[in-house]
Amino acid sequence: MIRIDSTAGGDYFFALLPDNSTSNYTGRIYAKDTTGGYKFGIAKATNPIVYASTVFNHGTTYLVVVKYSFIDGASNDEVSLFVFSGAIPGTEPSPLVGPVTQAIGDAPNIRRVALRQGSSSNAPVLLIDGIRVQKTWSSLVVGISNISTTAENFSLSQNYPNPFNPSTKINFSIPERSFVTMKVYDMTGREVMLLVNNNYSEGIYSVDMDAKGLSSGIYMYSIEVKTESGNLLRDTKKLTLIK
């Protein structure tokens, strides 16, 4: 996840490397200033840099994915760039930029990532958080960890049906009177829906979620329970909307 607060002439700030080199930067991601915001770009190694036509907003968090594709042959591997402002599609979409190739030596492997400041006159000012590396698109979108703190009779069920369109049900149970909050987030961590925000007595409850205002993709739903006896219980799961 990336939030860029300011940009200049354009320099790369993220790259991939093989395990036997600290200078063979490939899959480079660039950002440069443009009217109304900035543009992302990508290059396999050095120039040429291919920039997207889309203009992105400073101060906004985006989920950025760089893909390196190993292809049989010499000097023909490809890199692609994807940028999302909300949910990640469950299947790989067309890239924002690429595939980009270059008649330059292919990486023997990808086993390192590099973050760099770049030149003072060209580098963006940004915050990078939540770096994740996977070999397949499906592994990228479904790898959400369960962060529950459990207690007897506290549970958050998987929504059903899942995948769904446009409505689904979510069940939860609480062991005593509690204040319950349940929210839905996109993959950048932006809250997109508030489902529950009230006091409930001990019991099992069912929540109807209507997602007709959301786009297709992977989302997270999270519950926070503050019990009358002072316990704080949390759990998070993912759901898939397909329209």
Side-chain angles (χ1 to χ4, degrees):
M1 291 187 290
I2 296 173
R3 189 195 75 215
I4 296 180
D5 293 328
S6 65
T7 42
D11 202 349
Y12 71 96
F13 54 87
F14 179 92
L16 304 171
L17 299 104
D19 60 1
N20 62 352
S21 174
T22 57
S23 58
N24 185 16
Y25 298 105
T26 189
R28 307 182 188 197
I29 303 177
Y30 294 76
K32 72 172 182 178
D33 196 51
T34 192
T35 302
Y38 67 93
K39 294 182 178 182
F40 283 110
I42 194 169
K44 179 182 174 184
T46 54
N47 290 332
I49 306 164
V50 181
Y51 283 96
S53 59
T54 304
V55 177
F56 294 90
N57 298 319
H58 291 114
T60 299
T61 299
Y62 296 102
L63 184 64
V64 178
V65 179
V66 57
K67 176 184 177 182
Y68 188 97
S69 300
F70 293 95
I71 299 175
D72 288 342
S75 302
N76 60 350
D77 287 357
E78 297 175 342
V79 293
S80 303
L81 184 67
F82 306 80
V83 180
F84 304 100
S85 60
I88 305 178
T91 57
E92 183 176 331
S94 298
L96 176 71
V97 183
V100 174
T101 190
Q102 196 174 3
I104 195 168
D106 296 333
N109 56 64
I110 298 295
R111 293 182 179 172
R112 298 181 182 183
V113 297
L115 303 177
R116 64 190 296 274
Q117 184 177 2
S119 62
S120 59
S121 60
N122 285 328
V125 176
L126 54 87
L127 174 69
I128 299 178
D129 192 14
I131 297 174
R132 183 176 180 84
V133 180
Q134 292 293 333
K135 293 182 179 180
T136 66
W137 190 268
S138 59
S139 297
L140 178 71
V141 300
V142 302
I144 300 171
S145 299
N146 187 300
I147 57 171
S148 64
T149 302
T150 59
E152 185 179 1
N153 297 327
F154 166 68
S155 68
L156 176 66
S157 299
Q158 184 64 53
N159 67 297
Y160 65 93
N162 188 46
F164 70 98
N165 177 33
S167 61
T168 188
K169 288 184 178 295
I170 302 171
N171 293 341
F172 69 91
S173 64
I174 51 177
E176 59 181 289
R177 182 170 178 80
S178 307
F179 189 86
V180 180
T181 303
M182 186 184 299
K183 298 179 180 180
V184 181
Y185 300 88
D186 64 25
M187 294 301 288
T188 67
R190 179 174 62 94
E191 180 184 335
V192 297
M193 190 175 294
L194 176 64
L195 297 177
V196 177
N197 193 44
N198 211 337
N199 283 298
Y200 292 87
S201 299
E202 176 185 353
I204 301 173
Y205 297 87
S206 180
V207 180
D208 292 317
M209 175 181 169
D210 186 350
K212 61 185 178 184
L214 300 179
S215 58
S216 296
I218 308 293
Y219 293 85
M220 295 178 291
Y221 61 100
S222 180
I223 190 171
E224 181 177 277
V225 176
K226 298 178 181 178
T227 70
E228 201 168 54
S229 60
N231 291 321
L232 181 61
L233 312 171
R234 295 190 181 99
D235 201 356
T236 298
K237 297 184 185 297
K238 66 178 180 68
L239 52 78
T240 304
L241 172 61
I242 299 178
K243 292 186 174 181

